[in-house]
Amino acid sequence: MENETVSKNFIEQIIEKDVKEGNCEKVITRFPPEPNGYLHIGHAKSILLNYGLAEEFHGQFNMRFDDTNPTKEKVEFVDSIKKDVEWLGAKWHGDVLFASDYFQQMYEAAVTLIRKGKAFVCDLSAEQMREYRGTLTEPGKDSPYRNRSVEENLALFEDMKNGKFADGEKVLRAKIDMASPNINMRDPIIYRVAHMTHHRTADQWCIYPMYDFAHPIEDAIEGVTHSICTLEFEDHRPLYDWVVMELGYKKDVNGTPKQIEFAKLYLNNVVTGKRYIKKLVEDGIVDGWDDPRLVSIAALRRRGFTPESIRKFVELVGVTKAQGAVEYPMLEYCIREDLKLKAKRMMAVLDPVKLIIDNYPEGQVEYMEVSNNQEAPELGMRKVPFTKELYIEREDFMEEPPKKYFRLFPGNEVRLMNAYFVKCVDFKKDADGKITEVHCTYDPATRGGNFTERKVKGTIHWVSATEGVKAEVRLYENIVDEEKGVYNEEDGSINVNPNSLTILKECYLEPELAKAAEDEKFQFVRNGYFCVDCKDSKEGAPVFNRIVSLKSSFKLPN
Ligand code: ATP
Ligand code: MG
């Protein structure tokens, strides 16, 4: 990607112009999640975009919880979101902020609008309101309560605040234009009565502001200059501007705060929406929000993705206004690229069969000096124990090999990676015909791979049966049945792939892997990239996750 001329995306261009024209002094962006679930890969795009812009323009990045709707919000989600944003490397300015800290200011802003004759208390039921709203092709009708006096509105709003009304009995609406072609401008609700306990303000309030009213005020209070959101809010922008202008936060539509929309990140055949991930969790189809088959940030982290790989992915995807979807293999490409020169290349046997070297001394342990990563010599060397009894992959021996099979079969000689040449002299089967032992002889002259007098076509990996460690290894596939697509057309449920998780209970790894650190990643030669499962791994009983296999059909677009 070097030597590429990087052209600025449309958001960078807007901000650059605002800075140049003096529309803002210091660029302030924010990430405003609602704490009603765990973050996913789509949020990573929004986080890194907002953080990256603040960095690029030497501005400020705020982390603010949009906790204005107490129904689905929980402290568990607040904590997980903070952890994920930190992990991605997006450093926020000062303390974490909460929209709920501005409830008093929002309430006062509503009173200001009432005083200006720009808001009124409405008694219409939800159903009536729908009838009055009109449609995309027909204008709406004014509410019969629209012309209440300022005094009456002030008194009623006060009563709403003081708990005199039941949920849904009255709402406060902005007085804009029932004939607007934009339905969002047809006297939208800005406050509702909700007798609910909030996770931070408890029972202090029984009225809560609506998103379209609260969000611009939150931005304005914090001095956010560029309020970046996703495309579905494009039609809400006039309301955003109406709120900040009526309240005197901005004088000119071109000023700040300014809402800018970009396209959401979607991955083909991958469940991204919070709502759908939540359903998989609640239905017990996956083992929690951090199940490695999901694309929540917590799941990607547990699966072994690195923040660098996610940053690279988000960069490759880019920022546009045109909605599209990218392929999951692109994400896999990014983690492979990231780990290629960082991960040690170790030997691990996932489907073991025993190999016995008949002419190797009983009880002897030889330590083979092995490069951790031939392409990255700075990763150093390690010593791998070699013994008479080893494990090799079951697929690396065949009693009756097909053509072009260069691995072990009776009479054939192969190289044991980083060790000796061995020749198959015998094998044993059980009653079902399953191979139980492969017997070989080794040639001591061939040690270490620099032997040139004769050549062998196959090289296979191995682990000492006596010195290696036993581990559980988990292999993953997409949780979605790709042939059927994500959603079942009949009932909207998710088409689940029954083979998305394979648990291999009896794998053998080089002994060094028993000491793997929680965030360490490895290549298991020929088998892919792996990491320790941070949840289920125990001292003496390690569990490894496959992050990604080694091969890919993904090609970086030119
Ligand atoms: P979901 O649609 O998954 O439920 P959300 O939009 O409800 O997510 P919020 O917590 O409201 O989640 O979003 C926080 C921020 O993340 C918002 O600015 C939102 O626009 C952005 N965001 C959410 N999903 C995506 C996505 N797929 N791609 C890019 N940005 C996203
Ligand atoms: Mg949402």
Side-chain angles (χ1 to χ4, degrees):
M1 297 271 281
E2 276 130 46
N3 302 329
E4 194 185 355
T5 43
V6 185
S7 57
K8 294 207 184 310
N9 66 48
F10 77 99
I11 301 182
E12 291 172 306
Q13 291 173 20
I14 293 173
I15 299 182
E16 200 165 50
K17 186 159 175 277
D18 279 337
V19 172
K20 212 179 275 166
E21 294 178 356
N23 287 333
C24 67
E25 266 170 45
K26 177 176 168 189
V27 173
I28 304 183
T29 60
R30 85 285 172 267
F31 176 60
E34 193 184 348
N36 62 356
Y38 280 61
L39 298 181
H40 53 64
I41 185 77
H43 295 114
K45 175 170 179 179
S46 170
I47 294 163
L48 295 170
L49 171 63
N50 279 290
Y51 173 68
L53 289 167
E55 288 282 283
E56 182 182 343
F57 291 95
H58 308 288
Q60 177 180 319
F61 169 68
N62 286 358
M63 171 73 205
R64 179 216 308 153
F65 284 98
D66 212 325
D67 57 346
T68 53
N69 175 8
T71 19
K72 296 179 241 154
E73 297 166 2
K74 279 204 276 180
V75 178
E76 175 198 350
F77 298 136
V78 170
D79 294 340
S80 77
I81 290 172
K82 282 201 285 198
K83 181 173 172 183
D84 291 347
V85 176
E86 246 163 9
W87 180 76
L88 281 172
K91 292 181 218 46
W92 59 80
H93 173 84
D95 293 333
V96 170
L97 305 169
F98 290 89
S100 54
D101 285 343
Y102 316 139
F103 278 161
Q104 180 64 29
Q105 281 149 289
M106 292 177 192
Y107 166 76
E108 285 163 14
V111 170
T112 301
L113 289 185
I114 296 174
R115 290 221 161 90
K116 287 179 75 178
K118 297 287 179 151
F120 66 100
V121 173
C122 184
D123 301 3
L124 291 180
S125 67
E127 199 185 318
Q128 290 169 317
M129 221 172 288
R130 220 166 308 145
E131 282 164 26
Y132 276 77
R133 193 184 300 137
T135 63
L136 284 174
T137 49
E138 282 166 57
K141 280 188 302 185
D142 284 359
S143 159
Y145 304 98
R146 200 174 199 262
N147 294 318
R148 274 176 165 152
S149 69
V150 168
E151 287 65 37
E152 193 185 354
N153 281 320
L154 284 172
L156 286 171
F157 188 50
E158 185 72 8
D159 287 345
M160 279 170 66
K161 173 180 160 238
N162 291 334
K164 299 242 170 93
F165 303 114
D167 292 6
E169 207 179 325
K170 287 195 169 27
V171 292
L172 184 71
R173 298 174 70 178
K175 197 190 278 188
I176 309 179
D177 178 9
M178 287 307 291
S180 170
N182 183 340
I183 292 187
N184 295 300
M185 299 299 272
R186 295 184 188 168
D187 294 3
I189 300 175
I190 59 177
Y191 256 98
R192 63 189 171 128
V193 176
H195 292 269
M196 277 189 292
T197 304
H198 187 277
H199 70 106
R200 294 188 80 243
T201 58
D203 297 317
Q204 196 184 333
W205 296 91
C206 64
I207 51 171
Y208 290 96
M210 302 302 287
Y211 178 88
D212 282 336
F213 178 64
H215 204 85
I217 296 177
E218 294 157 27
D219 286 340
I221 289 172
E222 292 174 13
V224 166
T225 53
H226 297 86
S227 179
I228 298 162
C229 62
T230 40
L231 282 181
E232 71 273 25
F233 291 101
E234 195 162 16
D235 289 344
H236 297 237
R237 192 185 335 133
L239 181 52
Y240 183 101
D241 286 331
W242 185 90
V243 171
V244 283
M245 290 182 74
E246 286 297 336
L247 292 170
Y249 286 116
K250 93 170 171 182
K251 309 277 176 269
D252 166 7
V253 216
N254 295 317
T256 61
K258 173 179 284 181
Q259 178 179 305
I260 306 169
E261 309 86 17
F262 71 99
K264 271 196 174 179
L265 168 63
Y266 287 111
L267 285 162
N268 276 327
N269 276 327
V270 172
V271 182
T272 37
K274 226 185 308 194
R275 202 146 59 89
Y276 299 102
I277 295 182
K278 194 171 189 161
K279 180 121 177 50
L280 288 173
V281 174
E282 283 169 358
D283 293 351
I285 292 167
V286 294
D287 142 43
W289 285 92
D290 61 354
D291 186 300
R293 289 166 293 178
L294 298 174
V295 290
S296 64
I297 309 278
L300 290 168
R301 177 168 57 234
R302 183 171 168 198
R303 175 81 174 257
F305 281 84
T306 57
E308 292 81 359
S309 64
I310 293 174
R311 286 203 286 268
K312 185 176 180 72
F313 174 67
V314 165
E315 255 166 51
L316 277 182
V317 172
V319 180
T320 62
K321 269 239 182 238
Q323 193 60 70
V326 298
E327 302 296 330
Y328 185 82
M330 185 161 156
L331 185 57
E332 295 187 318
Y333 164 84
C334 293
I335 185 66
R336 275 190 209 102
E337 281 294 299
D338 186 40
L339 295 182
K340 194 164 67 183
L341 301 179
K342 280 192 201 164
K344 292 185 187 171
R345 298 176 182 176
M346 316 282 282
M347 292 190 285
V349 175
L350 305 190
D351 183 12
V353 66
K354 199 167 257 183
L355 181 143
I356 298 166
I357 306 172
D358 294 338
N359 61 340
Y360 193 85
E362 194 88 40
Q364 174 170 305
V365 183
E366 243 181 298
Y367 287 89
M368 301 298 177
E369 188 89 16
V370 173
S371 167
N372 281 323
N373 183 331
Q374 269 109 335
E375 290 178 65
E378 65 279 10
L379 294 184
M381 309 283 287
R382 69 178 186 284
K383 291 196 164 72
V384 185
F386 184 86
T387 52
K388 182 180 178 79
E389 294 198 359
L390 307 170
Y391 286 111
I392 60 167
E393 299 286 355
R394 184 165 289 284
E395 62 168 31
D396 286 345
F397 172 82
M398 284 185 101
E399 184 182 352
E400 288 166 37
K403 270 211 172 93
K404 298 208 173 153
Y405 183 88
F406 300 122
R407 291 170 265 170
L408 275 177
F409 53 87
N412 192 40
E413 189 174 47
V414 299
R415 181 198 314 274
L416 290 177
M417 195 178 281
N418 307 310
Y420 296 101
F421 285 10
V422 289
K423 185 173 190 170
C424 179
V425 291
D426 196 9
F427 62 92
K428 292 205 164 70
K429 281 199 272 196
D430 65 13
D432 303 327
K434 196 175 169 193
I435 305 292
T436 53
E437 280 179 9
V438 177
H439 286 260
C440 292
T441 54
Y442 84 119
D443 177 355
T446 58
R447 191 181 200 268
N450 293 326
F451 183 76
T452 50
E453 277 159 49
R454 62 178 190 277
K455 286 202 167 14
V456 287
K457 280 199 168 148
T459 299
I460 64 176
H461 63 276
W462 51 272
V463 167
S464 161
T466 40
E467 302 293 312
V469 290
K470 195 168 143 190
E472 176 177 320
V473 171
R474 298 174 182 172
L475 308 180
Y476 303 100
E477 278 178 29
N478 195 348
I479 187 81
V480 167
D481 183 333
E482 295 184 4
E483 282 184 3
K484 294 189 185 147
V486 181
Y487 306 106
N488 179 323
E489 281 177 14
E490 270 154 39
D491 60 4
S493 65
I494 289 162
N495 292 316
V496 174
N497 167 10
N499 304 317
S500 60
L501 171 63
T502 304
I503 299 182
L504 304 171
K505 290 271 183 199
E506 207 165 315
C507 304
Y508 290 90
L509 321 177
E510 284 184 34
E512 188 170 313
L513 284 161
K515 296 176 291 188
E518 215 178 72
D519 58 351
E520 216 174 343
K521 326 280 181 244
F522 302 92
Q523 185 185 115
F524 289 177
V525 291
R526 296 168 67 207
N527 281 318
Y529 288 101
F530 292 77
C531 72
V532 177
D533 186 82
C534 58
K535 217 169 171 179
D536 297 336
S537 212
K538 301 213 172 52
E539 179 92 46
V543 176
F544 281 82
N545 292 324
R546 177 150 76 188
I547 310 168
V548 64
S549 61
L550 292 178
K551 289 198 197 78
S552 166
S553 54
F554 176 78
K555 290 273 176 317
L556 198 61
N558 293 317

